[in-house]
Amino acid sequence: MHLETFAHGHSPLHRLDPRAKLAAALAFSLLLALARAWPLLWAGLGVGLLTVGVARLPLVELAKRLLAVNLFIAMLWLLLPWQVVDSPGWLGLGLAYHPHGLDMALAITLKSNALVLVLMALVATSPINQVFHALAHWRAPVKLLHLFFFFYRYLHVLHREYHRLDWGLKARGFSPGSNWRTYRTYAHVSGMLLVRSYDRAERVYQAMLCRGFSGTYWVLDHFAWQRRDTWFLAVWSLLLLGLFALGRTLA
Amino acid sequence: MHISEGVLGGPVLAAGAALTLAGLAVGLKKMDFDRLPQVAIMSAAFFVASLVNVPIGPVKEHLILNGLLGLLLGWATFPALFVALALQGVLFQFGGLTTLGVNTFNMALPGVLCYLLLGRLARNGGRRLPLLAGFLCGFLSVGGSALLVALSLATAGEEFLVVARLVVVAHIPVMVIEGVVTASMVGFLRRVRPAMLGMVQQS
């Protein structure tokens, strides 16, 4: 399971301070999530495409992520135009067709895609540990930081563990179906995964205590805020102000 | 059960964020440092377990297990799910930054309620009652989450009423399966590692 697909690159965005990028992504998300005006939504998508372009993300992987997001949205295109009415409408199902729902689906499509693009270009371009580090700088609760760190550290380990259990099932000729036996088997496999995780957590904690763990979240390499980070934030703020003004004047 | 970005309006997003912050505050306060690795690693384990696709008739559904997570972690369910969903957003772009609050709350609240209402029954009870508690826990937590998701969607406008109803109806079979699997897991954990359920281990 390789997760940090976009983190290794050489674009200008990859080199920026994660704090700057995270702040920029948060501001953009808030602005766009609350946006209503059409020009703002289209412009937001434009900004998303632009940032992804600047980040020079691998296209195949990018397309895969976008496909996953838009498969869900495609469902909304099918469902939103239908409204529940009291009288037996279309096919007697009590549904009526309202084209207005399509507008809503389009708005959601634009927003979702814009936000996902910016998230990929600005947040996923930092190694995940640096994102935690940025949160540490912002005085996020230290317990929460530890949770993030451990979660990510052991996710891969547990995924391997799960695959081992799964191979075990396959080696014994298990083929899933809709029956009690299948559900019980899956329950026991998941239960075993939890038991092993629990035991592992115990060992990890003891090892940490042996190494003098006292609750501090240590970071080894430190950020150095550079002039380019300030420039990036300045340009980004102007961009967002422009979008905001656009939404105001045309709403 | 994610609500994607761009669907909900400002007030609902803000309410979700505020409720999740409150849940996080309680969860983190109640969780001592010595439980940290446990909560995080269990959260990761649940994340992995939710990759298991279980056949239900012709379709496959992935397990959710937020009820059992609640039963095992109590109030720490809030931080555990928050971390999982936040990383899912950052790594896979499933659900985003603005919906993190609503999504966490919708998943975590039913889990915590299971812990408060059914925890004792799952720990004590005789041979059968814990299984019943497990079933109810899986059944109700998935149902509760589906209901919360539907309610959140319904606030987004009349257009969403059909989707909101579908969310609930589509989860009815999942509720039953989750109930069965959770009951079976409670039985398994009681036999294999009772301490995980907060029981005193008899040696």
Side-chain angles (χ1 to χ4, degrees), chain A residues 9-17 21 51 53-56 121-122 125 228-229 232:
Chain A
H10 300 285
S11 79
L13 285 184
H14 282 90
R15 283 195 293 272
L16 286 176
D17 195 307
K21 290 194 282 185
T51 39
V54 174
R56 295 202 294 263
L122 292 184
T125 48
R228 61 172 181 242
D229 300 313
F232 166 74

Side-chain angles (χ1 to χ4, degrees), chain A residues 68-119:
Chain A
V69 171
N70 285 297
L71 272 181
F72 172 76
I73 292 174
M75 221 168 61
L76 292 181
W77 280 88
L78 292 179
L79 292 174
L80 286 187
W82 299 97
Q83 283 193 21
V84 187
V85 289
D86 291 332
S87 58
W90 183 74
L91 286 182
L93 283 176
L95 293 176
Y97 181 73
H98 281 266
H100 176 67
L102 289 179
D103 283 349
M104 196 147 205
L106 178 61
I108 291 170
T109 311
L110 293 175
K111 279 188 192 186
S112 264
N113 280 291
L115 291 177
V116 165
L117 286 170
V118 165
L119 206 59

Side-chain angles (χ1 to χ4, degrees), chain A residues 130-149:
Chain A
Q130 292 197 9
V131 177
F132 302 158
H133 186 176
L135 291 176
H137 268 277
W138 290 343
R139 305 280 157 86
V142 71
K143 285 181 186 168
L144 195 63
L145 287 171
H146 277 112
L147 283 185
F148 269 118
F149 175 77

Side-chain angles (χ1 to χ4, degrees), chain B residues 134-192:
Chain B
F135 178 83
L136 286 176
C137 185
F139 185 82
L140 294 177
S141 60
V142 171
S145 288
L147 215 59
L148 286 172
V149 169
L151 281 176
S152 322
L153 286 175
T155 61
E158 276 182 39
E159 291 86 351
F160 276 94
L161 289 181
V162 175
V163 185
R165 283 174 203 206
L166 261 181
V167 166
V168 176
V169 174
H171 277 96
I172 292 173
V174 185
M175 285 164 69
V176 177
I177 300 303
E178 281 272 336
V180 171
V181 172
T182 309
S184 193
M185 284 176 86
V186 167
F188 178 83
L189 291 178
R190 279 175 63 92
R191 267 173 288 146
V192 177

Side-chain angles (χ1 to χ4, degrees), chain A residues 3-4 22 65 119 123-124 126-132 135 144-156, chain B residues 2 40 43-44 47 79-97 100 104:
Chain A
L3 297 176
E4 292 167 87
L22 201 54
R65 302 291 174 94
L119 206 59
V123 184
S126 300
I128 198 80
N129 273 324
Q130 292 197 9
V131 177
F132 302 158
L135 291 176
L144 195 63
L145 287 171
H146 277 112
L147 283 185
F148 269 118
F149 175 77
F150 280 115
F151 182 94
Y152 190 66
R153 169 67 184 76
Y154 285 100
L155 187 59
H156 302 75
Chain B
H2 289 117
S43 170
F47 188 87
L81 278 170
F82 176 81
V83 164
L85 292 177
L87 282 180
Q88 212 175 6
V90 170
L91 297 167
F92 306 117
Q93 291 81 42
F94 270 7
L97 299 175
L100 193 52
T104 306

